[in-house]
Amino acid sequence: DARVTQTPRHKVTEMGQEVTMRCQPILGHNTVFWYRQTMMQGLELLAYFRNRAPLDDSGMPKDRFSAEMPDATLATLKIQPSEPRDSAVYFCASGGFGANVLTFGAGSRLTVL
Amino acid sequence: GEDVEQSLFLSVREGDSSVINCTYTDSSSTYLYWYKQEPGAGLQLLTYIFSNMDMKQDQRLTVLLNKKDKHLSLRIADTQTGDSAIYFCAEREYSSASKIIFGSGTRLSIRP
């Protein structure tokens, strides 16, 4: 059963610390999306990649967030320095050619104190 | 820019039909989706409809698309307690980038 794997599932950190979230997309999928879910904002698109190249990261605060795909099996989302307002659940989703359907990971719940 | 809107809450009696509504702004959307999120879990695809279709039925689920009004609905027949979840509407824009934009989700609760 193919699935998107995200780590860590839960992370509690202090303000100012660096946070890195990782995503392993489904093997063979060539698009990867990062979303953030909060009670206030719902599900926001942060960034997405096709064939490891960033297509759109306009939803991401550029001063502290960065997203990369070092290889086809790993996508990372980094926050440096983290702030309490970054507390949210971060979802990674991957899609095959055309990305008509996305498969979501279970999410990484981040709490910044 | 693109926007997808849904009401935040819906409460229905067990056994009744649930209808969850969604409006979107991008008239060039190619695909429209319904995803389900159970507590503590990621989003799971329920169903999707291509923009040249008006209706799609899959067991207890019926999706209706009104392109003129940019309105999408999901009907769940014979709603059960296991249907309690947050339901997200989403659209895929027509462009070389083809990003997928989600609504804020509708929390469906079931009354006995």
Side-chain angles (χ1 to χ4, degrees), chain A residues 36-65:
Chain A
R36 175 170 65 182
Q37 185 179 27
T38 61
M39 289 291 290
M40 297 300 293
Q41 300 295 331
L43 202 62
E44 302 172 273
L45 176 62
L46 296 176
Y48 73 110
F49 296 77
R50 181 185 297 157
N51 297 324
R52 296 176 55 201
L55 287 190
D56 188 333
D57 61 1
S58 58
M60 203 165 65
K62 301 292 191 306
D63 56 337
R64 299 183 299 107
F65 284 61

Side-chain angles (χ1 to χ4, degrees), chain A residues 59-111:
Chain A
M60 203 165 65
K62 301 292 191 306
D63 56 337
R64 299 183 299 107
F65 284 61
S66 61
E68 295 180 345
M69 277 201 77
D71 62 62
T73 65
L74 177 64
T76 63
L77 180 66
K78 187 177 294 186
I79 308 174
Q80 167 62 19
S82 58
E83 296 181 1
R85 60 180 166 152
D86 301 329
S87 298
V89 181
Y90 291 81
F91 287 104
C92 173
S94 71
F97 179 77
N100 293 334
V101 172
L102 295 184
T103 301
F104 277 75
S108 294
R109 180 178 294 275
L110 173 65
T111 302

Side-chain angles (χ1 to χ4, degrees), chain B residues 8-79:
Chain B
L8 292 180
F9 301 99
L10 177 66
S11 176
V12 299
R13 194 182 302 275
E14 187 175 2
D16 287 351
S17 292
S18 306
V19 180
I20 304 170
N21 294 300
C22 168
T23 57
Y24 59 97
T25 57
D26 187 357
S27 58
S28 65
S29 296
T30 54
Y31 288 87
L32 295 122
Y33 307 84
W34 285 104
Y35 279 80
K36 177 183 181 182
Q37 184 184 33
E38 296 182 346
L43 279 70
Q44 292 179 292
L45 178 69
L46 273 181
T47 186
Y48 66 97
I49 188 168
F50 191 54
S51 57
N52 67 354
M53 298 169 64
D54 298 323
M55 186 183 87
K56 181 177 181 182
Q57 189 153 1
D58 183 3
Q59 299 181 336
R60 292 191 298 123
L61 305 179
T62 303
V63 178
L64 295 178
L65 174 60
N66 181 329
K67 282 197 71 175
K68 174 176 169 289
D69 294 337
K70 298 178 196 165
H71 182 268
L72 183 73
S73 68
L74 173 69
R75 178 177 180 270
I76 306 172
D78 187 24
T79 309

Side-chain angles (χ1 to χ4, degrees), chain A residues 20-34:
Chain A
T20 299
M21 287 168 277
R22 293 176 174 82
C23 169
Q24 180 178 358
I26 290 174
L27 188 64
H29 280 188
N30 69 335
T31 55
V32 173
F33 290 70
W34 283 105

